[in-house]
Structure formats: C-alpha cells, structure tokens
Amino acid sequence: SQQGEEDPQALSIQEGENATMNCSYKTSINNLQWYRQNSGRGLVHLILIRSNEREKHSGRLRVTLDTSKKSSSLLITASRAADTASYFCATVPKGGSNYKLTFGKGTLLTVNP
Amino acid sequence: EAEVAQSPRYKITEKSQAVAFWCDPISGHATLYWYRQILGQGPELLVQFQDESVVDDSQLPKDRFSAERLKGVDSTLKIQPAELGDSAMYLCASSYLWGQETQYFGPGTRLLVL
C-alpha cells in the first residue's frame, strides 16, 4: 500500500521556471524523503526532512514539511532540462524498527528547453 | 563513487518460466532491499535483509517469489513460475546501517513476461 500521494501527477514547465510538487501522507512519520527517477533508471535520494523540521534546502531544492497537515512540498528553482524526471516522496513511519520506506506514485516533471 | 549493481538490466521471459535477478550492494552496506515498481507507480518493498537475515518479507508473494542473501553480501531474487502480472521493474537498494534512512538504488532490472 502507498502512503504518500504526490500532486500533481504530471507537471510541464519551461526551463528557468520553478517547479513545485506536493506530497500528502496519512500516518505519523519519523521522516519524509524525496527521490528522483530518470526514465527507466533507479532512484536517487535528493533530500530527507525529519518530523521536527519545517524546511530544508539543498542547492536548488527546497523542501517543506507541515506535520499538522501531513503534507510536504518540493520546490526546484531555476529548472533545467536535466531536471526532467519522476519525483517521489517516501515516508518512514514513526515507531517501528525497520525504517520501511513507503513511496507515493510520483510526479512526472517535464522541463522544456 | 560506489554504486549498487544489478543484473541483468532487461529480461524477457515466457509465463511459467523461472527468472532470477542479482544484486550487489555498496560494499559494507548491511541492509539490502528488493522493490517492485509497476509502470506509473512508486516502488513497493518486497523484502528487506539485515546481513543475511530477512527483516521484512510481508509483501513478498511467497508462493512464487524467493530471495536469499546467503553470505550477507550479494542477493538473488527468484520468481518461479513467472506470471504476466510480474512484468515490472525490480529495484535493489542498500543502506549502511540498520535504520540509516538514505537508501542507495541500483539501476533496476526491467522484466517483461510474455
């Protein structure tokens, strides 16, 4: 079963524009992670935000977390054609011991040159 | 930079045949994961190993799927017999320690069952 749900399912923008993707989840989390997947390839870890954090930055990426709304957003600034990929949020539940990641269905981002 | 290796990258098989996928995690990574990703969906965990022991295989269809990590290093995932619905990407990932949150993924094996 998939806990996270990304919105929108697909997003098409021009190079240089900002892209915002949202993720909603259902149960309390230990942390939330964002991964990128280029077409037909494996996933690459982008950023991790813990439940006691509200915002994190990494290069052109900005992630926010609102645990009261059970939601997160990923902002990619000044997008490039190379950012074209699927983006997934994944949650690690609070409690438990095996740090099981549960992925959403992803947002397909297309950046047009 | 160290990477997770998987082979084969692509596999076409007929239903009822047996298939096997291999994964070599990043050296020193104790935790290994196998995921299945259906087209248009996110990955779903099939099995998780800590060293050579299975930690979670609750989503593994045990009537046809098996996984092993005999020496706690590389791992094999087997399907026998394959069914049409098994067509998917099979991803392997590893992490350094039990509970380390970041997982490192291999390139995956794309399986097509005819």
Side-chain angles (χ1 to χ4, degrees):
Chain A
S1 61
Q2 303 194 296
Q3 142 121 295
E5 193 165 313
E6 290 88 344
D7 170 61
Q9 290 186 334
L11 179 61
S12 181
I13 60 173
Q14 295 299 122
E15 213 166 19
E17 294 180 340
N18 295 341
T20 300
M21 288 159 269
N22 302 296
C23 170
S24 59
Y25 57 91
K26 297 173 185 172
T27 60
S28 295
I29 59 171
N30 176 295
N31 66 74
L32 183 145
Q33 305 176 37
W34 286 91
Y35 285 79
R36 183 187 77 225
Q37 184 178 36
N38 291 87
S39 181
R41 303 302 301 268
L43 281 76
V44 175
H45 182 265
L46 295 176
I47 199 164
L48 180 153
I49 187 164
R50 302 188 187 282
S51 60
N52 62 350
E53 297 175 312
R54 291 297 167 256
E55 187 171 312
K56 279 189 92 167
H57 296 254
S58 177
R60 294 183 295 113
L61 306 181
R62 173 178 167 252
V63 169
T64 62
L65 179 65
D66 187 335
T67 53
S68 66
K69 294 181 179 178
K70 292 187 169 60
S71 67
S72 173
S73 68
L74 171 66
L75 168 67
I76 304 174
T77 60
S79 64
R80 306 166 182 168
D83 294 328
T84 295
S86 291
Y87 292 81
F88 295 90
C89 69
T91 55
V92 175
K94 197 165 194 169
S97 58
N98 66 353
Y99 288 86
K100 179 176 177 176
L101 272 180
T102 303
F103 287 85
K105 294 184 179 181
T107 291
L108 176 59
L109 173 65
T110 302
V111 181
N112 301 299
Chain B
E1 186 175 309
E3 295 180 340
V4 175
Q6 287 188 249
S7 68
R9 291 294 309 278
Y10 304 93
K11 179 70 178 179
I12 300 174
T13 191
E14 294 184 343
K15 63 179 182 179
S16 80
Q17 295 298 304
V19 291
F21 313 128
W22 177 79
C23 173
D24 192 14
I26 293 173
S27 179
H29 280 198
T31 311
L32 185 147
Y33 313 81
W34 282 103
Y35 290 88
R36 177 170 59 187
Q37 185 179 23
I38 295 168
L39 195 63
Q41 305 279 323
E44 290 192 277
L45 182 70
L46 291 174
V47 61
Q48 177 183 342
F49 288 92
Q50 179 65 24
D51 298 312
E52 66 276 7
S53 301
V54 173
V55 172
D56 185 342
D57 64 356
S58 56
Q59 300 302 311
L60 188 71
K62 297 181 189 65
D63 57 336
R64 297 185 300 107
F65 286 64
S66 64
E68 60 183 17
R69 193 184 184 199
L70 294 176
K71 297 182 179 179
V73 181
D74 59 338
S75 176
T76 302
L77 178 69
K78 297 179 182 177
I79 309 175
Q80 183 172 18
E83 295 180 353
L84 297 178
D86 296 331
S87 294
M89 175 79 91
Y90 290 83
L91 294 160
C92 179
S94 68
S95 61
Y96 180 55
L97 290 171
W98 174 294
Q100 187 193 41
E101 296 98 338
T102 299
Q103 296 185 19
Y104 299 84
F105 282 79
T109 296
R110 172 76 67 187
L111 173 67
L112 178 61
V113 182
L114 302 176

